[in-house]
Amino acid sequence: MKGVKKGPAEESLYLEYSHQTEGCIFPLHTSVTLFLLSYCECKAFNVCLVLTEESTDTSDTSFLKEALPQDLEIQVISKQALPPIVQNCCLPAVVDQPDVFCRAGLAVVLRHIIQKSYEAEPSRKEILELLGFKKTCLKACAEVSQWTRLCELAIPLAVENFLQESSEQPPTIPEEILELERKLSEPVRVHNDDKLRRQKLKQQKAAGSGPPSGKGKAKSKASAQKTTKDLAASSKSLELKVAFSKLTVQEDAAASNREPSHIRKAKAADLPPLEHVFAEGLYFTLADIVLLPCIHHFLVIICKKFSEKLEQFPLLISWYQRIQEVPKVKTAASKCGIYFLYLPELLNSASKQPVNSNEVAAVDEQSDPLFIGGPRPTMTKLMEKGIEAMFSPHPCPAWTLDWSSLPAAVSPKEGKMSTDRALRKQQQLNNLVYLVLNQAKPGDRIVDFCSGGGHVGIVLAHMLPSCQVTLIENKELSLIRAKKRSDELGLSNIWFIQANMEYFTGMFNIGVALHACGVATDMVIEHCIQTRASFITCPCCYGFIQNTSKFNFPKSEKFKKTLSYKH
């Protein structure tokens, strides 16, 4: 095992290694993370490669020489050597010393690497700009964002399966790749959208290729073809100029003098759409970093064995070639064993794919003129079928927590709430904590899902010193606030995990969730049932229910016979 000295303030980054094929490291999440480290030239972490095969000798690292960045110092360890908190999470994961604060899951880890790289080198603005406008790129969790799910989970997994299954027979192209091609054909929505589209209209008018007015004589066929060709050429140039202006530190390509009146007064509906330059629109972001290793290895197999299928991906190939023009991308890629293919740019648009029937299933109900929304019609419909809500006495009608006797940092008042809101939060905590205290036994593991600033978890950790309490939250700042309060209290039985709940794989005895937004409460209950753990939850009072990739509503067989998804 190669030794790596740990500084007191350093963080450790743990990446999974299962195998490699033709220079591609599996799982692809590891390839993506190594590519980002290389692009950012990041040295802020102790990087540990975790071998999934326990029998593999960690002292023999010769098999890794070709696939790992040569300038990156990496330690190879077994799964048993992982810190306990990481053993409860899916990799990749980053852990602060002293191993009580963990960030897990691809999107969370990559965003953290970007933040740490920028902190180390604030002059490199292009690193921070990977997080996109308002720093939200891949911030929304995969359960609620189709785009995050596609980039973080669906495409890496689909490409892994494709690489493993591809043989001499033409394989089935993954639906996720076809979906990405469709996404690249959709109009771009960006900040200053209206301004840029007016600039594009001005450009088209100047080129004499504006939208036909419908007046005058019909153009000849040759003239029409020339106009179409000019329009295609001019429509790309503005997007490219705007996109690369950031990357090459040029003047903003969209900046110009006041537009002519006919451009300024044009209706929004008449403005030309903006086209994709990169995955999320006009700018190079973290989404491109995630997709690049995946799409590269996919195209390698397609070119080697099934080159006739390249015609299905004109936009994806244009994106792939454009990525290579981004400064430092080729250098970072070559360090990771990614050598770009030369592919002719395919200009013919891909045929439009039919919309997934699952995605439009709810639209029909939405346009149903007989549908009446709201809780009252729904409850009436249930009662007509003999399904009635049953109410039981309040399990905790009186105060059981003496807040005046508890340390100040335990109270939600420390979270800078108003007095009224803090009192309501104390009442809520009183109820949940009462039930957990009745359920918990010494040595139990308790998980506070969607923990926010730790109002529930911190009270539980203080009241139950013999139990291990884990806070799981996707928002970094909320978890950092919880960690600060915990440190003030000197709690030693509490862990903090920034991750989507599906990345938490540890065993536990009791799951708790207070006001987990919308469908998250159902996901917590599902997670607890699968783990055979008790659960105590209070749902969000305004988050709405929505179908997810994991399960659909209604869940109950009895409700399915009575209620539609919209009810």
Side-chain angles (χ1 to χ4, degrees):
M1 184 183 294
K2 186 191 285 188
V4 176
K5 293 181 180 179
K6 280 192 176 184
E10 287 185 339
E11 299 175 47
S12 294
L13 169 61
Y14 297 95
L15 303 173
E16 185 178 355
Y17 178 91
S18 60
H19 66 286
Q20 56 179 302
T21 306
E22 299 183 9
C24 174
I25 291 181
F26 286 80
L28 278 171
H29 279 186
T30 295
S31 294
V32 168
T33 309
L34 289 172
F35 176 60
L36 178 63
L37 288 171
S38 183
Y39 176 79
C40 294
E41 299 173 338
C42 179
K43 308 291 183 185
F45 302 94
N46 295 319
V47 183
C48 300
L49 211 59
V50 184
L51 304 183
T52 55
E53 294 297 327
E54 302 303 341
S55 58
T56 307
D57 182 6
T58 57
S59 63
D60 179 17
T61 60
S62 58
F63 63 96
L64 296 171
K65 285 183 180 178
E66 295 297 321
L68 295 176
Q70 298 304 300
D71 57 349
L72 192 65
E73 197 169 8
I74 292 179
Q75 181 181 5
V76 180
I77 65 173
S78 65
K79 289 182 79 171
Q80 294 99 324
L82 284 171
I85 190 171
V86 183
Q87 291 183 17
N88 287 275
C89 301
C90 294
L91 301 183
V94 173
V95 180
D96 296 358
Q97 292 185 338
D99 297 342
V100 296
F101 195 116
C102 176
R103 295 169 173 88
L106 184 66
V108 164
V109 166
L110 296 184
R111 288 176 57 84
H112 184 62
I113 290 173
I114 289 170
Q115 295 281 6
K116 294 294 288 188
S117 300
Y118 177 68
E119 287 172 16
E121 235 180 310
S123 61
R124 290 191 62 187
K125 302 288 187 186
E126 78 276 10
I127 293 179
L128 193 62
E129 286 178 354
L130 289 173
L131 296 180
F133 182 62
K134 290 190 175 180
K135 312 294 179 280
T136 57
C137 183
L138 302 189
K139 185 177 183 180
C141 59
E143 290 90 350
V144 299
S145 167
Q146 289 186 359
W147 177 243
T148 302
R149 184 163 68 247
L150 185 68
C151 295
E152 181 184 31
L153 300 175
I155 285 181
L157 183 59
V159 172
E160 280 181 24
N161 292 336
F162 180 83
L163 296 179
Q164 290 172 334
E165 294 170 4
S166 60
S167 60
E168 296 307 315
Q169 295 298 320
T172 301
I173 299 297
E175 170 59 30
E176 293 80 2
I177 300 294
L178 298 174
E179 185 179 348
L180 180 59
E181 178 74 15
R182 288 196 293 271
K183 292 275 187 189
L184 293 176
S185 71
E186 296 173 357
V188 169
R189 294 285 176 264
V190 292
H191 180 59
N192 269 346
D193 176 284
D194 187 74
K195 177 184 174 184
L196 290 172
R197 289 167 67 202
R198 289 183 191 281
Q199 184 73 5
K200 184 173 178 180
L201 179 61
K202 180 181 177 183
Q203 185 186 67
Q204 290 179 354
K205 295 279 188 184
S209 55
S213 64
K215 297 178 181 178
K217 295 179 181 179
K219 295 182 178 179
S220 68
K221 185 176 181 181
S223 175
Q225 287 177 342
K226 182 178 184 301
T227 299
T228 303
K229 187 175 180 181
D230 290 342
L231 181 61
S234 67
S235 67
K236 285 188 177 180
S237 59
L238 177 80
E239 284 91 338
L240 286 170
K241 283 170 67 180
V242 171
F244 281 93
S245 66
K246 273 195 175 185
L247 295 169
T248 55
V249 199
Q250 295 172 355
E251 190 177 336
D252 183 2
S256 66
N257 297 326
R258 187 173 172 86
E259 294 97 347
S261 175
H262 67 286
I263 300 292
R264 195 171 65 252
K265 293 180 180 179
K267 294 180 181 178
D270 296 333
L271 297 177
L274 298 174
E275 297 171 8
H276 282 262
V277 176
F278 296 111
E280 289 199 335
L282 302 186
Y283 305 115
F284 182 68
T285 67
L286 180 56
D288 297 287
I289 294 278
V290 173
L291 293 171
L292 178 56
C294 303
I295 300 304
H296 169 75
H297 292 299
F298 168 77
L299 290 176
V300 166
I301 297 297
I302 290 291
C303 286
K304 277 186 178 181
K305 300 180 180 180
F306 320 106
S307 57
E308 70 281 357
K309 290 186 176 291
L310 283 174
E311 293 182 0
Q312 296 182 39
F313 312 109
L315 300 178
L316 201 55
I317 288 171
S318 294
W319 168 84
Y320 177 74
Q321 299 203 150
R322 205 168 291 125
I323 284 288
Q324 301 171 44
E325 301 172 38
V326 176
K328 299 190 177 183
V329 162
K330 276 191 174 179
T331 303
S334 63
K335 287 180 181 178
C336 298
I338 296 174
Y339 301 100
F340 287 105
L341 303 164
Y342 172 74
L343 298 170
E345 188 167 358
L346 304 177
L347 298 176
N348 297 327
S349 296
S351 58
K352 284 192 174 182
Q353 299 289 332
V355 180
N356 190 324
S357 58
N358 292 334
E359 294 178 357
V360 297
V363 176
D364 294 337
E365 279 183 24
Q366 214 165 13
S367 58
D368 180 3
L370 300 177
F371 173 75
I372 302 174
R376 197 177 297 278
T378 296
M379 296 301 290
T380 302
K381 197 167 185 180
L382 287 173
M383 290 175 68
E384 288 171 354
K385 296 290 183 178
I387 303 172
E388 196 167 350
M390 301 296 290
F391 296 94
S392 56
H394 196 296
C396 182
W399 286 101
T400 56
L401 285 177
D402 181 6
W403 291 99
S404 62
S405 67
L406 296 174
V410 174
S411 173
K413 288 182 179 178
E414 288 295 295
K416 298 180 181 177
M417 293 183 180
S418 67
T419 304
D420 289 346
R421 190 175 172 215
L423 176 60
R424 288 199 303 274
K425 184 63 70 175
Q426 285 179 338
Q427 292 167 339
Q428 295 159 9
L429 295 176
N430 186 82
N431 294 334
L432 262 74
V433 170
Y434 170 80
L435 292 169
V436 176
L437 292 179
N438 283 348
Q439 186 78 21
K441 304 180 298 297
D444 274 355
R445 295 184 175 189
I446 303 169
V447 178
D448 179 10
F449 290 98
C450 307
S451 67
H455 294 307
V456 177
I458 286 174
V459 177
L460 291 174
H462 177 76
M463 301 292 292
L464 296 166
S466 63
C467 294
Q468 174 69 43
V469 178
T470 301
L471 275 58
I472 299 179
E473 170 58 49
N474 196 46
K475 294 185 178 68
E476 182 181 34
L477 293 179
S478 297
L479 216 50
I480 288 173
R481 282 199 302 270
K483 173 73 163 54
K484 184 179 178 183
R485 288 175 60 196
S486 170
D487 290 345
E488 290 176 19
L489 290 163
L491 298 175
S492 59
N493 61 329
I494 190 167
W495 282 347
F496 305 87
I497 298 178
Q498 184 198 352
N500 300 344
M501 70 179 75
E502 63 181 8
Y503 288 124
F504 177 74
T505 57
M507 297 302 294
F508 59 99
N509 308 95
I510 303 173
V512 182
L514 174 60
H515 295 170
C517 288
V519 74
T521 297
D522 296 87
M523 297 177 68
V524 169
I525 293 172
E526 187 93 351
H527 200 96
C528 293
I529 290 172
Q530 290 174 355
T531 313
R532 301 186 67 81
S534 303
F535 55 88
I536 298 160
T537 66
C538 174
C540 177
C541 52
Y542 59 85
F544 59 92
I545 294 297
Q546 59 184 350
N547 287 336
T548 72
S549 57
K550 292 200 166 186
F551 48 76
N552 298 324
F553 293 95
K555 291 177 65 65
S556 150
E557 289 301 324
K558 196 167 186 179
F559 274 33
K560 284 177 184 175
K561 297 173 184 176
T562 307
L563 300 179
S564 66
Y565 167 57
K566 281 296 168 185
H567 280 108

